[in-house]
Amino acid sequence: MRFTVGKKLGISFGAIFVILIAATATTYFYLNNLAALETDLFHQRMPTTYAFASLQTEERQLVADLRGYVLAEPHSPERDALKQDIAAVLVEVDQTNETMRGLSAHFAKAETKGMVHQIEVNFGVIRDAASQIESAADSSDKEARSRAL
């Protein structure tokens, strides 16, 4: 069977048209995947990363304030200011933990939810330790104050 020039052109344009449709469908599919990744990145992963970084900053601030509180003279304005700073940092920790809890509700992985829960437990321990350090710093026992450092 002999193909005429018209049939050859028709088959060629048909093949190019099929390739174009396949390329368009593939591009559309991958763009939808990219949109899903973008949503995941900007609405879940980045806020989570910022919340973790915020918790680290708050933890460092809490430790610094507690050290200053232990070293400050009892009943001094500096110590009162540090006690207020400690309370403010603990409020920020609570707010960040609440943010993390809200973000973790959208996590698909149970291990990530478990990590967020463990962070909350760890900050509960840190909060208890902070209370004990404040109590030791307020005592007249120099040995207790030294241990608090």
Side-chain angles (χ1 to χ4, degrees), residues 8-124:
K8 289 179 185 177
L9 284 174
I11 290 172
S12 298
F13 281 122
I16 289 174
F17 184 70
V18 168
I19 291 171
L20 181 66
I21 295 296
T24 302
T26 303
T27 302
Y28 180 77
F29 173 74
Y30 282 110
L31 281 177
N32 280 340
N33 283 348
L34 186 62
L37 287 173
E38 180 264 340
T39 299
D40 179 53
L41 179 68
F42 287 111
H43 298 292
Q44 187 172 352
R45 292 180 188 250
M46 285 183 70
T48 304
T49 303
Y50 288 136
F52 277 123
S54 177
L55 280 174
Q56 287 177 333
T57 301
E58 291 160 2
E59 180 183 20
R60 288 184 191 113
Q61 182 64 43
L62 180 63
V63 169
D65 287 344
L66 285 169
R67 283 187 184 138
Y69 186 79
V70 170
L71 294 172
E73 290 295 321
H75 310 295
S76 67
E78 179 185 359
R79 187 176 242 195
D80 294 337
L82 285 168
K83 189 163 188 141
Q84 290 175 353
D85 286 348
I86 291 168
V89 169
L90 291 174
V91 168
E92 289 175 18
V93 166
D94 290 338
Q95 290 171 345
T96 305
N97 277 334
E98 187 63 35
T99 301
M100 291 294 298
R101 207 173 300 119
L103 290 169
S104 72
H106 301 293
F107 291 137
K109 295 181 181 179
E111 66 188 47
T112 307
K113 290 180 183 179
M115 287 171 44
V116 170
H117 176 70
Q118 188 60 43
I119 288 170
E120 288 180 19
V121 169
N122 290 346
F123 268 98

